[in-house]
Amino acid sequence: MQIITIEEEAWKQLNSRISAITDYLKRLEDTSYDDLWLNNHEVCQYLHISEKTLWRMRTKGEIAYSKIYGQYFYTIGAIKDMLNANAVQSSDEYVQELMEKGKSYIEKGRKLKTDKK
């Protein structure tokens, strides 16, 4: 058996990094909000969409819901599933092209308009 010793400051830094990694992994696993129910208005605010758009999504079967006494309810998990199902994956070539365009934009010294006068 070998005994390894390190300085106290190095141990504190290592311990701090391990704690940060542990906290990060716990946040990734946190699904406690997935079972939380939201009504129409809350979902529309959350997604920044109109009630008409939410109605269309519901009638097309794009989002899971429950109906109780004429009111519709959705879980955050169902919203996440719907968003993930509709996520657009971009190719590496597209990302590379986008980065090159951004670099050329900066190199040419173009300025973004931040306020309108």
Side-chain angles (χ1 to χ4, degrees):
M1 184 168 113
Q2 293 180 340
I3 298 175
I4 300 172
T5 59
I6 59 174
E7 294 179 5
E8 182 180 2
E9 187 60 34
W11 169 252
K12 287 180 182 179
Q13 287 178 356
L14 179 61
N15 208 10
S16 173
R17 288 182 181 173
I18 291 171
S19 295
I21 292 169
T22 302
D23 292 342
Y24 175 75
L25 292 175
K26 283 180 183 176
R27 281 194 306 270
L28 286 179
E29 294 175 355
D30 184 18
T31 57
S32 60
Y33 291 109
D34 285 357
D35 294 331
L36 184 65
W37 289 91
L38 304 175
N39 63 24
N40 268 355
H41 181 72
E42 292 167 331
V43 172
C44 289
Q45 285 184 324
Y46 182 69
L47 296 176
H48 301 287
I49 60 174
S50 69
E51 289 198 22
K52 178 79 172 184
T53 300
L54 185 58
W55 173 81
R56 277 191 227 115
M57 293 166 64
R58 202 172 49 238
T59 56
K60 290 180 180 179
E62 295 175 353
I63 188 167
Y65 66 93
S66 290
K67 182 178 178 181
I68 301 172
Y69 297 112
Q71 288 191 346
Y72 296 94
F73 296 93
Y74 315 81
T75 62
I76 290 182
I79 297 168
K80 284 181 182 179
D81 291 343
M82 184 266 311
L83 291 173
N84 287 330
N86 291 300
V88 177
Q89 300 296 324
S90 57
S91 65
D92 292 337
E93 295 85 24
Y94 177 75
V95 172
Q96 189 64 33
E97 181 182 330
L98 190 62
M99 288 172 54
E100 289 172 9
K101 285 182 181 178
K103 286 178 186 176
S104 70
Y105 191 82
I106 292 169
E107 289 170 358
K108 291 180 182 177
R110 298 178 184 159
K111 297 194 183 237
L112 298 175
K113 294 181 181 177
T114 53
D115 60 327
K116 296 180 181 180
K117 292 185 179 181

